[in-house]
Amino acid sequence: MASDPQRGQRGQRGTSGSSGSGASDQTGPEDRKPQSDEAHSAFTPPLGVPYPPLPEDEHPTSEFALPAGLRPETPTEQEGSAFSQPSSTTGQTPLPAPVGATAMSAFTPPHGIPAVSLTKEAPWQDRMRTMLRMPVHERPVPERLERGDEDTGPAVPRVLDLTLRIGEILLAGGEGAEDVEAAMFGVGHAYGLERVEPTVTFTLLSISYQPSLVHDPVTASRTVRRRGVDYTRLSAVFRLVDDITSEGITLEEAYRGLAEIRRNRHPYPSWALTVASGLLSGAASMLVGGELLVFLAAALGSMLGDRLAWLASGRGLPEFYQFVVAAMPPAAVGVAFGLAHLNVQASAVITGGLFALIPGRALVAGVHDGLTGYYITAAARLLEVGYLIVGIVVGVLSVLYIGLQLNPGLRRLSPEQALGAYNEPLVQITASMLLALAFCVLLQQERHTVAFATLNGGVAWVVYGALHYVAEMNPVPATAIAAGLVGLFGQLLSRYRYASALPYVTAAIGPLLPGSATYFGLLNFAQGHLPQGLTSLVQAVSLALAIAVGVNLGAEVARLFLRAPGVEEAGIGRRAAKRTRGF
């Protein structure tokens, strides 16, 4: 009896279905079987109610499908693959080709993105500086194969340690922050570390390497606690970096070369440095009109100051006090000549001693870091220059004050003796070259660089003398132009030698240092003439900044004459890095 309702429902359903299709209402043996689980469900429609139409299982629909009668919108532009050439037969809108380096597309162009090829023929300074000044996403990956094991890659901790040790020597030797970062970047790239980022400040070096976007970065740092001037060691490190980046020496060979550089002794002994200090002061006194006796007195005072500075350094005194004691003997010799009423230009003696103490090297490096965007390092370097100058002021002013208290009418120290009025071209050119030569010895330069630096110093004074004495130009722009030529020639010589530009530049700017303006400013302060002293010191600061800016500008102009490594594809240039424009 339980089967009767089911049969009645099936028959009723068959009758209902046959009314529209003309099918027979006879049921076969297959109709007696339930077609779905709904035949046994408690929600089966009662007798007499038609069954709902069966769902079309073979054609499922989505609840987000468009209702019947609506026409789908035609897409304006079909999407294509970023790695395939758009086809004209599919109706796909072709991607516009990039024009120059400014046109950017949402997809990778069919011909690919122009690669930056940093050729090995260019000096490593140019190649690494180019990479530092380009955006991070445009930097090329290392072209050199990894020197480590093929499975594990390069020895990352050892590469980072080597990079930091090289950067430490360069920074301690007075190299600019940009060149230190370029050297560190070049070493890391040469050993296969593509995602490496060095950071240089005045006393801290750090480097970070991230193997991939999913790995944790590895960071190492090193503190520069002691600084020493040795351009021979600096040049050796430059050659080592060139061997690493261009010649492909192994990591063990690089460590061995670095150890040899550290073991090398200075090329000049301490007594030679003392004699060079005296020669420098004597030559500087000749620039402002000193005679033979003035030359000897200035040399004697400078050598005494140098020995006192060595003694203070051996006792562990800070560099500030070393400059204080080094400035006292030249000022004392000049005051002694003035008190003895000798027919000697005592002002030239003190001026010559100041030439040997003015920190022109640190000043140039500080301004260079500021102009290239390393503001923290530049501020620290300029603060160091300020402290050293204050030390010089304290040493000279203390002696001048004592001398004026003993004899207020010291005519030989009077500012009315205008040292700038002295104009003897042959004597001054010879003195300027002697001054540059003495600076080369004090900076511990290699012997083959001494001749070029000495000649560069003579050229600097010739240009300054022609502009200031002959053309009657203001000394500040005349100094800037002469310093610009020094920077230009120094940069070209360094490119030719594949070395640092410091040995060819630092000694050559010696004749341009503002010794006379500094002396007259200090003397006016000692005599109580504050407005005149302030005017002289402002002029000295202006001349010093003119030297620093001129050297940096000359170096940048030199790079305009040399083709920087970049995009080698015709018609496509490298976009400039927005490093110091504020956006």
Side-chain angles (χ1 to χ4, degrees), residues 19-162:
S19 61
S21 60
S24 175
D25 56 351
Q26 299 180 357
T27 58
E30 64 278 1
D31 294 332
R32 297 188 181 96
K33 297 180 181 180
Q35 298 180 358
S36 65
D37 292 338
E38 295 179 357
H40 305 282
S41 173
F43 299 98
T44 304
L47 186 64
V49 177
Y51 246 77
L54 294 176
E56 298 179 358
D57 297 333
E58 65 276 9
H59 298 290
T61 59
S62 172
E63 62 183 36
F64 299 101
L66 293 174
L70 294 181
R71 182 177 301 175
E73 297 181 359
T74 304
T76 57
E77 182 179 355
Q78 299 181 4
E79 295 185 359
S81 174
F83 304 98
S84 61
Q85 171 73 33
S87 175
S88 59
T89 59
T90 60
Q92 186 174 357
T93 304
L95 296 175
V99 180
T102 58
M104 301 298 295
S105 176
F107 306 100
T108 304
H111 56 271
I113 299 176
V116 179
S117 178
L118 303 179
T119 60
K120 296 296 188 298
E121 289 75 14
W124 65 266
Q125 299 98 311
D126 292 341
R127 291 185 277 119
M128 295 304 109
R129 189 180 290 110
T130 300
M131 295 189 66
L132 285 176
R133 294 186 177 184
M134 69 171 56
V136 177
H137 64 277
E138 294 183 5
R139 292 176 180 174
V141 298
E143 300 177 3
R144 185 179 303 280
L145 296 177
E146 297 178 349
R147 290 171 169 81
D149 186 75
E150 295 182 358
D151 298 331
T152 61
V156 175
R158 298 195 67 196
V159 173
L160 297 184
D161 178 72
L162 175 67

Side-chain angles (χ1 to χ4, degrees), residues 364 432 436 445 452-464 478-494 500-513 546-558:
V364 171
S432 64
Q445 292 189 194
F452 294 102
T454 302
L455 183 62
N456 204 9
V459 171
W461 183 262
V462 168
V463 174
Y464 171 78
T479 301
I481 295 174
L485 289 178
V486 169
L488 174 64
F489 294 152
Q491 195 69 30
L492 293 177
L493 287 172
S494 68
S500 172
L502 290 181
Y504 304 101
V505 171
T506 306
I509 64 174
L512 303 176
L513 293 176
I547 292 173
V549 174
V551 168
N552 181 265
L553 181 61
E556 294 296 334
V557 170

Side-chain angles (χ1 to χ4, degrees), residues 449-539:
T449 64
V450 172
F452 294 102
T454 302
L455 183 62
N456 204 9
V459 171
W461 183 262
V462 168
V463 174
Y464 171 78
L467 294 176
H468 179 56
Y469 295 112
V470 179
E472 297 182 353
M473 182 182 290
N474 188 276
V476 174
T479 301
I481 295 174
L485 289 178
V486 169
L488 174 64
F489 294 152
Q491 195 69 30
L492 293 177
L493 287 172
S494 68
R495 301 300 179 86
Y496 176 73
R497 296 274 183 174
Y498 284 70
S500 172
L502 290 181
Y504 304 101
V505 171
T506 306
I509 64 174
L512 303 176
L513 293 176
S516 301
T518 304
Y519 163 70
F520 284 133
L522 299 181
L523 184 59
N524 280 303
F525 276 128
Q527 293 178 340
H529 305 154
L530 297 183
Q532 294 85 346
L534 184 60
T535 302
S536 297
L537 289 183
V538 168
Q539 183 182 9

